[in-house]
Amino acid sequence: MMNDTELDDLLNTWSAPPAPASLREKVRAGFAANLERQTSPGRWHWIAAFVPSARKSLLAGAILAAGAFFFVVVAALSQTHKIVAPPVGVPYIVDSEFVRYSDDGSPSVEMYTTSYSLDGHEILLSRSLPGNPFGTAIGRTLDAALPYVFRLRSRFEDADLLEKVKRAAAQAVTVTTGCWGPCLMLAHYGFARSGGVGCLDGPIIGRETILNYPTVAVQHYDGGSQRMTLWMARDLGCFALRIATEEQRPDGTFRLVTTKHALKVTLHP
């Protein structure tokens, strides 16, 4: 694993091609405007906060600009395809199963994860894709590389903007809800934090004990055709032991799209 000193040495020797003078201001303006809109009470998606839909062309340019650095990081992290031990002091870990449902309702397991919650933010330790060892290796490498990519980006971001992002994160509860496409990238959602029993703002629709932990089911609508129900366990640092994502049909009924189920909670002394 690359340490901070080695990373700094790498960044000092790597240089990106010059970007147009207008690019920085466009990205900053779009990011700030979208962040302000997305961090209003309710649900907001991490990728949406960082990549405004109106600026997809900027995303493509950013991918090309970061490509060389990305492959250097991947090579440096090639030994990360293994389960990571939880940090000292983590009181528990949760093993979860992610299932996707087809239009006819048939289920298929798409991912397993091991994670825990720190200050209301779910922290991934490891994940695997059943029957797909190559995809598992690629996904774990991407998970390990992303923090380094964000550190690189922070060198070019405005300090006030970064501070706004930190304040928004401190006021949110974040969860892993699944993965994108072939499961190479994780799907993260953030919700406005609540001091109540449900951990996050939203209507409470039920209570249930899951794996011997009391949970409160909170439901959120995305303003469109989807709704998400999260069973939050306050005793586990506001960890979502179950998540169900549904999509509304033309007749007004909802069909199940994805679920997350906690399989096991392991306590650490």
Side-chain angles (χ1 to χ4, degrees):
M1 178 69 70
M2 184 184 298
N3 60 39
D4 287 348
T5 300
E6 292 170 335
L7 176 62
D8 287 337
D9 291 340
L10 173 63
L11 295 179
N12 288 334
T13 59
W14 181 82
S15 60
S22 59
L23 178 61
R24 179 186 177 92
E25 292 304 319
K26 286 181 179 179
V27 173
R28 183 188 300 172
F31 181 87
N34 192 70
L35 179 64
E36 183 176 355
R37 180 176 67 256
Q38 295 287 348
T39 52
S40 59
R43 181 167 67 121
W44 47 285
H45 191 278
W46 282 115
I47 292 180
F50 285 96
V51 185
S53 59
R55 292 176 169 79
K56 291 182 179 179
S57 60
L58 295 182
L59 171 61
I63 291 174
L64 291 174
F69 171 75
F70 176 78
F71 284 109
V72 170
V73 171
V74 168
L77 299 175
S78 59
Q79 300 302 314
T80 63
H81 312 316
K82 57 185 178 181
I83 295 178
V84 180
V88 176
V90 172
Y92 70 92
I93 58 174
V94 180
D95 295 325
S96 301
E97 177 186 73
F98 293 78
V99 179
R100 183 170 296 276
Y101 298 84
S102 62
D103 291 342
D104 63 7
S106 57
S108 61
V109 178
E110 62 179 2
M111 183 172 64
Y112 294 102
T113 65
T114 300
S115 59
Y116 67 98
S117 183
L118 178 64
D119 297 328
H121 302 292
E122 185 174 356
I123 308 298
L124 181 75
L125 292 173
S126 179
R127 65 178 172 120
S128 62
L129 311 182
N132 188 356
F134 180 74
T136 296
I138 295 296
R140 288 180 177 176
T141 299
L142 289 170
D143 296 339
L146 279 177
Y148 294 90
V149 175
F150 282 120
R151 280 192 59 191
L152 171 66
R153 191 195 65 180
S154 68
R155 292 193 169 201
F156 305 98
E157 289 288 1
D158 182 86
D160 292 339
L161 181 58
L162 291 176
E163 184 60 31
K164 181 182 287 188
V165 172
K166 292 179 181 178
R167 289 198 302 267
Q171 298 169 4
V173 174
T174 62
V175 298
T176 300
T177 62
C179 50
W180 298 102
C183 266
L184 296 184
M185 299 294 291
L186 292 173
H188 299 280
Y189 278 85
F191 300 84
R193 186 185 296 266
S194 168
V197 294
C199 294
L200 50 91
D201 284 341
I204 295 175
I205 65 169
R207 299 170 188 267
E208 184 177 345
T209 298
I210 301 176
L211 298 177
N212 297 321
Y213 290 91
T215 68
V216 175
V218 182
Q219 196 165 75
H220 277 274
Y221 289 82
D222 69 352
S225 62
Q226 285 195 339
R227 71 182 180 188
M228 186 180 293
T229 307
L230 305 97
W231 284 259
M232 307 299 295
R234 177 167 285 280
D235 292 347
L236 293 175
C238 289
F239 191 95
L241 288 177
R242 183 186 302 160
I243 301 175
T245 303
E246 301 170 284
E247 185 176 62
Q248 190 173 28
R249 297 187 178 99
D251 63 2
T253 61
F254 284 84
R255 79 167 186 93
L256 194 59
V257 178
T258 62
T259 58
K260 169 187 179 180
H261 298 276
L263 301 175
K264 182 176 67 174
V265 177
T266 303
L267 299 179
H268 289 205

